[in-house]
Amino acid sequence: MNRIIIKAQDGTTRISRHIYGHFSEHLGRCIYGGYWVGNDPEAAAVIPNIRGIRNDVIAALRRINIPNLRWPGGCFADEYHWKDGIGPMEERPRMINTHWGGVTEDNSFGTHEFLDLCELLDCEPYICGNVGSGSVQELSQWVEYCNFDGVSPMADLRRKNGQAGPWGVHFWGIGNESWGCGGNMTAEFYADNYRRYAVYARDYGNSKLYKIACGPSGSDYDWTRVLMEKTQGCGGPPLLNGLSLHYYTVPGEWSCKGSATEFNEAQWYVTMRKAYVTDELIRKHGAIMDEYDPNHRVGLVMDEWGTWYDVEPGTNPGFLYQQNSLRDALVAGIHFNIFNNHAERLFMANIAQTINVLQSVILTEGAKMILTPTYHAFDMYKVHQDAVKLPVYVESETVNRGSEMPLISASASRDERNKLHLSLTNIDSGSEQELRVELRGLDLSPSVKISGTVIGSEHIQDCNTFDDDAKVGIKNFTGTSLDGAALWVSLPPHSLVTLELG
Ligand code: AHR
């Protein structure tokens, strides 16, 4: 039997809206063609845009309340020199994007364009600095350029380039994957460098920086320990605000990850099992962080997560372009439930990546744009942003495919209008699951208003395409009934459901 108990009056922790964040890199067609057509007069003539940024993309991302956007990488961040991306377009140098396909980067999308995009999206920028091939001075000056309001070389340069006031960028990453593409460093070497870079990334005026150190890859618990150990503040606050974590859901081996759309039931379950690993990672890294930071002053920032498959046949292998199916929506739902349930430690998370790369929420083809099943999962779960997490106890039927895993995952919160939201995933590839929900502290009289939405589709491989863009979407859900003190939910096979009560 499947059973959930929710303590409807017990929540104390707020679910940070930032765990519904995004990541967009100079990679393939994410920035160029995805957001930005400002460097392509032919595209700009047929794709409606504002100052070079696509209107359709802005509108779609605003609908899901995108809270923050991480940029410019990724691996790209550690070879990016921000001064190449400011000033008159025709004077900006070109460079090679060595990580991603060896293509020419024309630097037409730089700091001003990114911060303009964030303003249009009404989201917070999260800039990742270059530690791998940059310098302390370079990062220090980038912060000064963005955030200083007085007279200084960088603030004056910003004004000369058309931006009078500072942007006040709050979130700064000090390097990306410094254990790999960001410099191949040891934890000890990086931690020392973090300390050095962080000193010169200054707070100006009221812009107090939130500094995010490069954290571990997957289950590298030693990295977390070294970083936490070496960034203690000698009695004062810790020297970092956030520690990042990267983990990708890869159904196969890195050399043969599997297709995004052509997969069987066994691969479906492998993918789900690997998505569930995120819970263990957050729990175990969190436990190490607790030893050094029992009061949770340092946030865990899972600033890269998502599925990673083989690229779509015929596309540039360096562009990481993959389709997105109902399977991805389930992976997203599982992550969101895990994230909500770890709200005490998890401060931010960023899907990799927003457009045309890996587990995208948007795919574009010239002037056309489609929303993926993952987009709809973000849309469904936006009700949890900044809501109060409610304790949820889940007893689920399991499936055993290589190892045992629960069929159902869940999370719940109460929003400022006092509405309770319960989100559920059912990974059963073939059967409906009946679920009994006990709501402790909530009177389930027949007059209580219950509504719901569902994301599902006939086949687990179903996708939205440029010919059929509405195969997988959000529909109204009517599979609930009341039985005395309990609420019964009939969860369709391979589906996500969110209920609103109150
Ligand atoms: O998201 C693609 C790449 O994955 C990022 O650039 C890097 O940080 C990670 O390895």
Side-chain angles (χ1 to χ4, degrees), residues 263 268 324-330 372-373 376 380 426-432 453-465 468-477 491-497:
F263 57 89
W268 161 273
N324 196 284
S325 72
L326 181 63
R327 174 171 63 163
D328 296 270
L330 263 296
T372 68
H376 296 297
M380 175 183 266
N426 173 19
I427 62 167
D428 195 319
S429 60
S431 302
E432 191 171 88
T453 50
V454 59
I455 299 172
S457 201
E458 193 181 348
H459 304 111
I460 53 178
Q461 299 85 356
D462 284 347
C463 309
N464 294 334
T465 64
D468 181 1
D469 65 357
K471 192 158 202 155
V472 186
I474 298 189
K475 297 194 176 72
N476 285 336
F477 179 69
L491 285 173
H494 49 259
S495 69
L496 300 84
V497 166

Side-chain angles (χ1 to χ4, degrees), residues 23 25 27 74-76 100 176-177 181 246 248 304 308 320 352-353 358:
F23 165 43
E25 180 169 9
L27 196 179
C75 296
F76 180 80
W100 306 120
N176 168 75
E177 296 196 351
C181 67
H246 288 184
Y248 284 94
E304 288 188 28
W308 194 324
L320 310 186
Q353 301 192 4
L358 300 178

Side-chain angles (χ1 to χ4, degrees), residues 377-394:
F378 270 90
D379 200 9
M380 175 183 266
Y381 275 75
K382 70 186 178 196
V383 291
H384 296 291
Q385 291 191 19
D386 283 339
V388 174
K389 166 192 149 175
L390 297 177
V392 176
Y393 166 80
V394 183

Side-chain angles (χ1 to χ4, degrees), residues 141-293:
Q141 289 186 331
W142 203 359
V143 175
E144 180 188 326
Y145 187 86
C146 291
N147 289 358
F148 187 57
D149 200 12
V151 175
S152 82
M154 291 303 113
D156 292 349
L157 183 59
R158 182 192 69 232
R159 285 185 203 100
K160 190 175 149 220
N161 288 330
Q163 175 71 22
W167 288 284
V169 178
H170 182 50
F171 297 123
W172 289 85
I174 312 293
N176 168 75
E177 296 196 351
S178 306
W179 36 261
C181 67
N184 221 0
M185 304 177 199
T186 62
E188 288 77 7
F189 183 77
Y190 170 72
D192 288 341
N193 270 289
Y194 170 82
R195 295 170 63 109
R196 204 160 63 100
Y197 276 73
V199 167
Y200 300 96
R202 305 277 189 201
D203 294 334
Y204 293 107
N206 294 328
S207 315
K208 188 133 188 29
L209 306 191
Y210 187 100
K211 295 173 199 169
I212 301 166
C214 164
S217 167
S219 58
D220 185 353
Y221 299 111
D222 290 342
W223 185 280
T224 296
R225 185 169 293 287
V226 171
L227 259 291
M228 291 304 291
E229 174 82 42
K230 288 196 141 212
T231 52
Q232 292 297 293
C234 287
L239 304 178
L240 74 177
N241 305 98
L243 182 70
S244 77
L245 164 66
H246 288 184
Y247 171 70
Y248 284 94
T249 301
V250 184
E253 300 302 318
W254 278 103
S255 53
C256 178
K257 299 179 271 299
S259 159
T261 50
E262 286 169 26
F263 57 89
N264 57 27
E265 207 194 36
Q267 288 161 318
W268 161 273
Y269 282 114
V270 172
T271 312
M272 298 306 145
R273 178 165 56 74
K274 293 197 169 177
Y276 277 130
V277 168
T278 296
D279 183 59
E280 177 183 326
L281 295 176
I282 297 179
R283 210 165 9 87
K284 291 189 173 167
H285 286 294
I288 296 169
M289 292 171 80
D290 284 349
E291 290 176 35
Y292 298 89
D293 175 40

